[in-house]
Amino acid sequence: MKKILLVATIALFSFSNLNAHTFKIGASAGIPMADAADISSWVLGIDAYYYFTDQDAFFELGANVGFRNFFGDTIIGNISIDDGQFLPVAAAGRLKFFGIFSGGVDVGYAFGLSDYLDGGFYIRPVVGVDVLNILELNLSYENISDQATWGNLNFGALLQF
């Protein structure tokens, strides 16, 4: 009984300091690269981030879930390619410099939502700048390793709560 009380007390004091958190939601648009450049014309995405730290912390660690739509293109004559859709789920880490600039990476798995996609390893290096503490503008390169490499260079904006 003493061990349970000790563990509960330690847990209570440990978790009481975790009340600092940041929630971000936003959108991005990009230019397809790698194999995706041959079969899609542009990319649109939405993201939701939850960081376990305050938005002004030097190091932010959290999770990300999003949606990506690679808009299909017409290739070789009149062959039309269907849109490629993914659901990325990733861990997210950011370092913040001077309270305004940030850089980091999202790493995880992107589930293929289209019939012809399986999904694969997901990585997204990101650099960003905070504007007025409520808006983050970012630039990133996204890479999804399915049977083909679905890459894109994108520009995005996230609202911070």
Side-chain angles (χ1 to χ4, degrees), residues 91-103:
R94 300 285 186 275
L95 293 176
K96 189 164 281 195
F97 303 99
F98 307 112
I100 189 169
F101 300 107
S102 63

Side-chain angles (χ1 to χ4, degrees), residues 8-10 18 42-43 56 68 78 82 84-85 97 112 114 136-138 142-143:
T9 304
I10 291 172
L18 291 179
W42 62 292
V43 182
D56 293 326
R68 296 294 174 278
N78 291 333
D82 290 337
Q85 299 176 339
F97 303 99
S114 300
E136 175 188 315
L137 301 177
N138 59 49
E142 210 165 29
N143 189 17

Side-chain angles (χ1 to χ4, degrees), residues 2-161:
K2 288 182 184 181
K3 290 181 183 179
I4 293 173
L5 183 59
L6 179 63
V7 170
T9 304
I10 291 172
L12 177 65
F13 285 112
S14 297
F15 291 123
S16 66
N17 292 328
L18 291 179
N19 61 0
H21 62 279
T22 304
F23 180 72
K24 299 180 182 183
I25 189 164
S28 63
I31 302 166
M33 303 190 104
D35 295 333
D38 298 334
I39 59 173
S40 60
S41 54
W42 62 292
V43 182
L44 188 61
I46 57 172
D47 287 293
Y49 285 90
Y50 182 83
Y51 289 103
F52 303 109
T53 57
D54 184 39
Q55 71 183 20
D56 293 326
F58 173 71
F59 179 69
E60 295 178 312
L61 182 64
N64 170 28
V65 64
F67 174 78
R68 296 294 174 278
N69 190 64
F70 288 80
F71 290 89
D73 205 358
T74 302
I75 60 169
I76 307 173
N78 291 333
I79 300 172
S80 181
I81 303 295
D82 290 337
D83 292 354
Q85 299 176 339
F86 290 95
L87 178 75
V89 178
R94 300 285 186 275
L95 293 176
K96 189 164 281 195
F97 303 99
F98 307 112
I100 189 169
F101 300 107
S102 63
V105 67
D106 300 348
V107 177
Y109 188 84
F111 296 93
L113 300 178
S114 300
D115 290 338
Y116 62 94
L117 297 173
D118 295 328
F121 179 71
Y122 171 80
I123 187 164
R124 181 183 185 195
V126 179
V127 294
V129 62
D130 285 347
V131 180
L132 301 173
N133 281 337
I134 60 166
L135 178 67
E136 175 188 315
L137 301 177
N138 59 49
L139 182 67
S140 67
Y141 177 78
E142 210 165 29
N143 189 17
I144 301 169
S145 298
D146 188 49
Q147 293 175 358
T149 301
W150 295 81
N152 74 85
L153 180 64
N154 63 59
F155 176 77
L158 294 166
L159 289 176
Q160 302 176 25
F161 300 96

